[in-house]
Amino acid sequence: MTLDMRILDTQNAGFETELDNLLAWEAVSDNQVQHTVLDILHHVKTQGDAAVIEYTNKFDRLTAKAMTELEIGQEQLQAALDGLPDDQRVALQEAAARVRRYHEKQKQDSWKYTEDDGTMLGQQVRPMDRVGIYVPGGKAAYPSSVLMNALPAHVAGVDEIIMVVPTPDGEVNQLVLAAAAVAGVTRCFTIGGAQAVAALAYGTETIPKVDKIVGPGNIFVATAKRFVFGEVGIDMIAGPSEILVVCDGKTDPDWIAMDLFSQAEHDEDAQSILLSWDQDYIDAVKASIEKLLPTMERADIIRASLSERGALIKVKDQADAVKIANRIAPEHLELSVEDPEAMAQEIRHAGAIFMGRYTAEALGDYCAGPNHVLPTSGTARFSSPLGVYDFQKRSSLIMCSADGASELGKVASVLARGEYLTAHARSAEYRIKD
Amino acid sequence: MTLDMRILDTQNAGFETELDNLLAWEAVSDNQVQHTVLDILHHVKTQGDAAVIEYTNKFDRLTAKAMTELEIGQEQLQAALDGLPDDQRVALQEAAARVRRYHEKQKQDSWKYTEDDGTMLGQQVRPMDRVGIYVPGGKAAYPSSVLMNALPAHVAGVDEIIMVVPTPDGEVNQLVLAAAAVAGVTRCFTIGGAQAVAALAYGTETIPKVDKIVGPGNIFVATAKRFVFGEVGIDMIAGPSEILVVCDGKTDPDWIAMDLFSQAEHDEDAQSILLSWDQDYIDAVKASIEKLLPTMERADIIRASLSERGALIKVKDQADAVKIANRIAPEHLELSVEDPEAMAQEIRHAGAIFMGRYTAEALGDYCAGPNHVLPTSGTARFSSPLGVYDFQKRSSLIMCSADGASELGKVASVLARGEYLTAHARSAEYRIKD
């Protein structure tokens, strides 16, 4: 079965339209899904544990009678870690240590300054009290995602990290539990879907209400998160994963083919794109793809992803590549070029930038240190990797001296009266000295 | 007409329930509103300018024939500023200078570090390219809000700031236009409602597509922002404004009464609450409220707000006040006490903290420096004042040395195989040295 991959050229007429079509992605959340999710939210909000148990038994084919059966204790998490083969346990701990070290640098501190008249201004930074981590179950249960979601919250100083992970048919993923132990998860419930999001957002008799819910999930989970936004904070709504590789033609084409595969193997909707100004190199990567594809365990998924959503794009030169990269604002951007530092300077929009021939995107997924939860579908134009800053929040600090309040009061009074807000004006005027 | 204000005591049985009822607030966006907004979004997305003009003529009772009639040029903004009375122009510029100075401190810089094996990790911070500022029209058109929304974007380094402000019946607010000139707005369109949000989110022939939309609006605007989230970034969805004043009984009760009024005068849904451990003082503030209320221009709105949503709450002591403040997570928290710095340390959740007897909340609304766009309805548990950080975003940087990639590749390989992602594993393994 041959692979029919898009080959584009930025210099061809119609390229802009082809690119728009290539990138087009609409997260579908139809009316039926919305109504189902609204029902689930309502039932969990009003009936608490009973509704959570009922939905969990129904959707995950379980027979739980009480919430206690749907909680996994600390000793079980620890036992899962202790029970891992040595290489896995060491790799998990090594990855966690590196992720923790990188995220420590993201911690933001309170600051303040005092003006000449004694007025103090500043910002006080505090962690959230309690957050919820959604971890998908089944085949998409990734222990690395547990680390990437829980560790930033831990580093931020969040007191309680509540993890939910569905166990369809009772199947528990030991690596996921082990990761929860390594990442310092406080409590863990084996629930999922919109019912888990509802339980975290509203709280039940057993499950504590959280301040923010993060983590990826299917369309029901994403829709539920969108609906509870405002009641609690949420992270971004993730689309399919994508990689954009820029190569100057001097990296082993097998390496680049495998980098493209590593994105494509996630699922059929994942997107892998290569940009190069070297036509011979594009041909070489195409040959590597065709050579290596039959050797891949997930060949069918990779083939579907590359055929439907992949592309090899010939650009004019490095500047043209930068332009296209900024236009795409990719989740993962691999700069497999001679001087990646100079090129990275030109990049305005990307979730993560993997620089140089040695930096495979896969290293960032697991253990380099930076977070693997990244903005997808061009949302890097306005959003950032998940980080410690997502679990901290700020309060403005204002302490006026008597002199400061008097001077500021005059300005505030004029502006408040311009807005016809006279209580504002009079409140300020009380503090003006005679 | 007497004022019937809630008087509560934390030591009474049933206080928790009373507090829950007091704080209960549900932003209503009914089915009808949602369908209307979805229609508007769809028409603007597919028909561009024509749809924007049609909706604007209909909802704002205008007769525009082309988008050019709905754009206000730079020279008009500047003319509005030049035409202001001196005191207003100076006050606006003074406020802008202070807001800008404070927000400069929020700018975040890129950072990186190099590990022993030569691997470089970091985070690159960049401003967004283009953002949209929604400014309400009519009676809620606040020039101060133009400053508070546009200046942080300007400080962040955003290239283009597109402002939209409806002009119902063609009524233009000169102070708002003047504020746009002061704040460095790039382009200004006299459109509003869901059609303005749609135009900014999708772009039209005339109105450029933005990366993020910020600013307050009515229920149609809030609903539209919620729907376009993901296509563009949005700021928080604001509820009614609120203030929580904590007083030790030693501030002039007239001052505190006026501070409570300054919140209540916004609208009937606004919320003003006083906490004190001094019963006599609570009585004194109540007397001041009754004495001053008849002298207020917006007495009817203030009376409705204080009756429906206000409260004077007797707490046991300062520690009890801190506990209630953290439970409420107020938008504005005024600490009118002897040692506000010690007390502020104990506050975990608040949008802005106004410290000391001189620091009227109104000073913060206009000119102290910090932003007046703050998290409402308890969302200070998980969100922050609008700031420069809302207009910057980050890209992770990873550049592995050959040695670093080899060591990290071993860890990544083990974890990737544990997740059955063999393309990830092989991509990492290519970089392992023999």
Side-chain angles (χ1 to χ4, degrees):
Chain A
M1 199 159 107
T2 98
L3 173 70
D4 191 20
M5 213 172 155
R6 261 190 212 80
I7 314 274
L8 305 179
D9 188 321
T10 59
Q11 303 306 297
N12 286 352
F15 171 75
E16 278 299 326
T17 309
E18 288 173 324
L19 184 62
D20 283 346
N21 291 340
L22 178 65
L23 300 177
W25 178 261
E26 195 114 24
V28 187
S29 169
D30 65 22
N31 230 347
Q32 186 53 49
V33 170
Q34 294 191 5
H35 281 286
T36 303
V37 168
L38 283 175
D39 272 352
I40 294 173
L41 294 179
H42 176 73
H43 280 124
V44 172
K45 189 175 184 176
T46 52
Q47 290 158 47
D49 282 350
V52 175
I53 294 167
E54 188 187 324
Y55 285 120
T56 302
N57 285 343
K58 181 176 162 195
F59 294 130
D60 294 338
R61 298 164 297 280
L62 303 183
T63 56
K65 296 202 166 41
M67 273 307 297
T68 45
E69 297 174 51
L70 299 176
E71 181 163 6
I72 295 189
Q74 284 296 337
E75 62 294 341
Q76 274 176 279
L77 301 182
Q78 191 58 46
L81 179 60
D82 297 340
L84 286 187
D86 280 352
D87 63 337
Q88 286 193 340
R89 193 178 57 253
V90 169
L92 207 54
Q93 286 168 331
E94 165 87 358
R98 291 191 57 89
V99 170
R100 192 183 293 269
R101 200 177 317 142
Y102 176 86
H103 283 77
E104 290 282 355
K105 312 265 181 190
Q106 291 179 333
K107 260 183 107 159
Q108 309 196 343
D109 294 320
S110 303
W111 52 268
K112 58 181 177 177
Y113 62 97
T114 304
E115 301 188 307
D116 291 343
D117 63 17
T119 292
M120 183 275 281
L121 299 174
Q123 206 157 49
Q124 179 162 290
V125 181
R126 292 280 183 271
M128 291 171 202
D129 287 347
R130 190 191 287 137
V131 303
I133 307 284
Y134 189 97
V135 178
K139 64 168 180 162
Y142 295 142
S144 55
S145 290
V146 176
L147 299 186
M148 294 295 182
N149 280 281
L151 284 172
H154 209 262
V155 170
V158 172
D159 262 346
E160 292 180 57
I161 301 171
I162 315 295
M163 176 170 132
V164 294
V165 55
T167 53
D169 301 305
E171 200 183 320
V172 178
N173 182 323
Q174 292 300 316
L175 258 170
V176 164
L177 301 191
V182 169
V185 163
T186 315
R187 293 179 75 179
C188 175
F189 297 94
T190 55
I191 60 176
Q195 59 275 18
V197 174
L200 292 171
Y202 305 123
T204 70
E205 302 90 317
T206 308
I207 299 165
K209 175 180 166 58
V210 302
D211 298 315
K212 188 166 188 171
I213 302 173
V214 301
N218 63 19
I219 190 69
F220 291 93
V221 172
T223 305
K225 279 170 66 181
R226 196 184 277 272
F227 281 133
V228 300
F229 170 55
E231 180 74 30
V232 296
I234 60 168
D235 60 347
M236 51 205 130
I237 309 282
S241 199
E242 356 121 22
I243 191 170
L244 179 69
V245 179
V246 179
C247 187
D248 57 10
K250 292 180 188 131
T251 307
D252 186 329
D254 284 358
W255 292 21
I256 297 297
M258 196 59 75
D259 295 352
L260 296 171
F261 287 177
S262 77
Q263 208 54 225
E265 76 174 339
H266 276 295
D267 62 77
E268 291 82 353
D269 293 326
Q271 184 159 61
S272 300
I273 301 176
L274 169 68
L275 302 185
S276 182
W277 44 94
D278 180 338
Q279 182 63 55
D280 290 344
Y281 186 70
I282 290 179
D283 296 340
V285 171
K286 188 162 184 290
S288 287
I289 288 174
E290 279 159 8
K291 174 187 75 185
L292 292 168
L293 184 55
T295 72
M296 303 309 299
E297 277 86 344
R298 295 185 175 225
D300 290 344
I301 296 175
I302 295 172
R303 184 180 290 108
S305 161
L306 293 183
S307 305
E308 290 301 315
R309 305 208 70 224
L312 308 174
I313 304 181
K314 164 82 165 39
V315 293
K316 215 172 79 183
D317 49 26
Q318 181 162 322
D320 196 27
V322 166
K323 196 181 117 199
I324 302 295
N326 281 325
R327 161 75 183 78
I328 294 179
E331 181 190 12
H332 304 99
L333 175 63
E334 202 172 294
L335 302 181
S336 208
V337 298
E338 202 57 42
D339 187 354
E341 289 184 283
M343 194 168 181
Q345 288 281 335
E346 305 295 311
I347 298 299
R348 292 200 316 281
H349 314 299
I353 308 177
F354 301 83
M355 301 157 68
R357 309 188 199 286
Y358 291 103
T359 313
E361 187 269 319
L363 302 180
D365 281 344
Y366 292 106
C367 56
N371 210 288
H372 79 196
V373 181
L374 298 166
T376 56
S377 310
T379 59
R381 286 182 294 115
F382 54 84
S383 48
S384 300
L386 189 70
V388 173
Y389 35 78
D390 287 302
F391 300 101
Q392 295 183 307
K393 73 267 180 339
R394 311 166 179 91
S395 302
S396 306
L397 297 177
I398 312 175
M399 187 161 81
C400 291
S401 64
D403 287 346
S406 184
E407 288 310 304
L408 289 178
K410 294 171 192 167
V411 177
S413 164
V414 171
L415 294 173
R417 289 185 183 276
E419 293 181 355
Y420 307 104
L421 294 175
T422 43
H424 283 69
R426 289 175 64 181
S427 164
E429 288 156 13
Y430 273 139
R431 277 83 171 183
I432 298 178
K433 292 179 172 178
D434 298 326
Chain B
M1 199 158 108
T2 97
L3 173 70
D4 190 21
M5 213 172 154
R6 262 190 211 81
I7 314 275
L8 305 179
D9 188 322
T10 59
Q11 303 305 296
N12 287 351
F15 171 75
E16 277 300 326
T17 308
E18 288 172 323
L19 185 63
D20 284 345
N21 291 339
L22 179 66
L23 300 178
W25 178 262
E26 193 113 26
V28 187
S29 170
D30 64 22
N31 231 345
Q32 186 54 51
V33 170
Q34 294 190 4
H35 281 286
T36 303
V37 168
L38 284 174
D39 272 353
I40 295 173
L41 294 180
H42 176 73
H43 281 123
V44 173
K45 189 174 184 177
T46 52
Q47 290 157 47
D49 283 349
V52 175
I53 294 168
E54 189 188 323
Y55 284 121
T56 302
N57 285 342
K58 180 175 163 194
F59 294 130
D60 294 338
R61 298 165 297 282
L62 303 182
T63 56
K65 296 203 167 43
M67 273 306 297
T68 45
E69 298 174 49
L70 299 176
E71 180 161 6
I72 294 189
Q74 284 296 336
E75 61 294 342
Q76 276 177 278
L77 302 182
Q78 190 59 43
L81 180 60
D82 296 339
L84 286 187
D86 280 354
D87 64 337
Q88 285 192 342
R89 192 179 58 252
V90 170
L92 206 54
Q93 285 168 331
E94 166 86 356
R98 291 190 58 89
V99 170
R100 192 183 291 271
R101 200 177 318 141
Y102 176 87
H103 284 76
E104 289 283 355
K105 312 264 181 190
Q106 290 179 335
K107 261 183 106 159
Q108 309 196 342
D109 294 319
S110 302
W111 53 267
K112 58 181 178 178
Y113 61 97
T114 303
E115 302 188 308
D116 291 343
D117 63 16
T119 292
M120 184 275 282
L121 300 174
Q123 207 158 47
Q124 180 162 292
V125 182
R126 290 283 184 269
M128 293 171 201
D129 286 347
R130 189 191 289 138
V131 303
I133 308 285
Y134 189 97
V135 178
K139 64 168 181 165
Y142 295 142
S144 55
S145 290
V146 176
L147 300 185
M148 294 296 183
N149 280 282
L151 284 172
H154 208 262
V155 171
V158 173
D159 262 344
E160 292 181 57
I161 301 172
I162 315 294
M163 175 171 134
V164 293
V165 54
T167 53
D169 300 306
E171 201 182 320
V172 178
N173 182 322
Q174 292 299 317
L175 259 169
V176 164
L177 300 192
V182 169
V185 164
T186 315
R187 292 180 76 179
C188 174
F189 297 94
T190 55
I191 60 175
Q195 60 274 19
V197 173
L200 292 170
Y202 305 122
T204 69
E205 302 90 317
T206 308
I207 299 165
K209 175 178 166 60
V210 302
D211 298 316
K212 187 166 188 171
I213 302 173
V214 301
N218 63 20
I219 190 69
F220 290 93
V221 173
T223 305
K225 278 168 67 181
R226 196 185 278 273
F227 281 134
V228 299
F229 170 54
E231 179 74 28
V232 295
I234 60 168
D235 60 348
M236 52 204 130
I237 307 282
S241 198
E242 356 121 21
I243 191 170
L244 179 69
V245 179
V246 179
C247 188
D248 57 10
K250 291 176 190 135
T251 307
D252 185 329
D254 284 358
W255 292 21
I256 297 297
M258 197 59 75
D259 295 352
L260 297 171
F261 287 178
S262 77
Q263 206 55 224
E265 76 173 341
H266 276 294
D267 63 78
E268 291 82 351
D269 293 325
Q271 184 158 61
S272 300
I273 300 176
L274 169 69
L275 302 184
S276 183
W277 44 95
D278 181 339
Q279 182 63 55
D280 291 343
Y281 186 71
I282 289 178
D283 296 339
V285 171
K286 189 162 184 290
S288 288
I289 288 174
E290 279 158 8
K291 175 186 74 183
L292 292 168
L293 184 56
T295 73
M296 303 307 300
E297 277 87 344
R298 297 185 175 223
D300 289 346
I301 295 174
I302 295 172
R303 183 182 290 108
S305 160
L306 292 183
S307 305
E308 288 303 315
R309 306 207 69 224
L312 306 175
I313 304 181
K314 165 82 164 41
V315 293
K316 215 173 77 185
D317 50 25
Q318 181 163 322
D320 197 25
V322 166
K323 195 180 118 199
I324 302 295
N326 281 325
R327 160 76 182 78
I328 294 178
E331 181 190 12
H332 304 100
L333 175 63
E334 201 172 294
L335 302 180
S336 207
V337 299
E338 202 56 44
D339 187 354
E341 289 184 283
M343 194 168 181
Q345 289 280 335
E346 305 294 312
I347 299 299
R348 292 201 315 282
H349 313 300
I353 309 178
F354 301 83
M355 301 159 67
R357 309 190 199 285
Y358 291 103
T359 314
E361 187 268 317
L363 302 181
D365 280 344
Y366 293 106
C367 55
N371 210 287
H372 80 194
V373 181
L374 298 166
T376 57
S377 310
T379 58
R381 287 183 292 114
F382 53 84
S383 46
S384 300
L386 189 70
V388 173
Y389 35 78
D390 287 302
F391 300 100
Q392 294 183 306
K393 72 270 182 335
R394 312 166 179 90
S395 302
S396 306
L397 297 177
I398 313 174
M399 186 160 84
C400 291
S401 65
D403 287 346
S406 184
E407 287 311 303
L408 288 178
K410 294 171 192 166
V411 176
S413 163
V414 171
L415 294 173
R417 289 184 183 278
E419 293 180 354
Y420 307 105
L421 294 174
T422 42
H424 284 68
R426 288 175 64 181
S427 164
E429 288 157 10
Y430 273 139
R431 275 85 172 183
I432 298 176
K433 293 179 171 179
D434 298 325

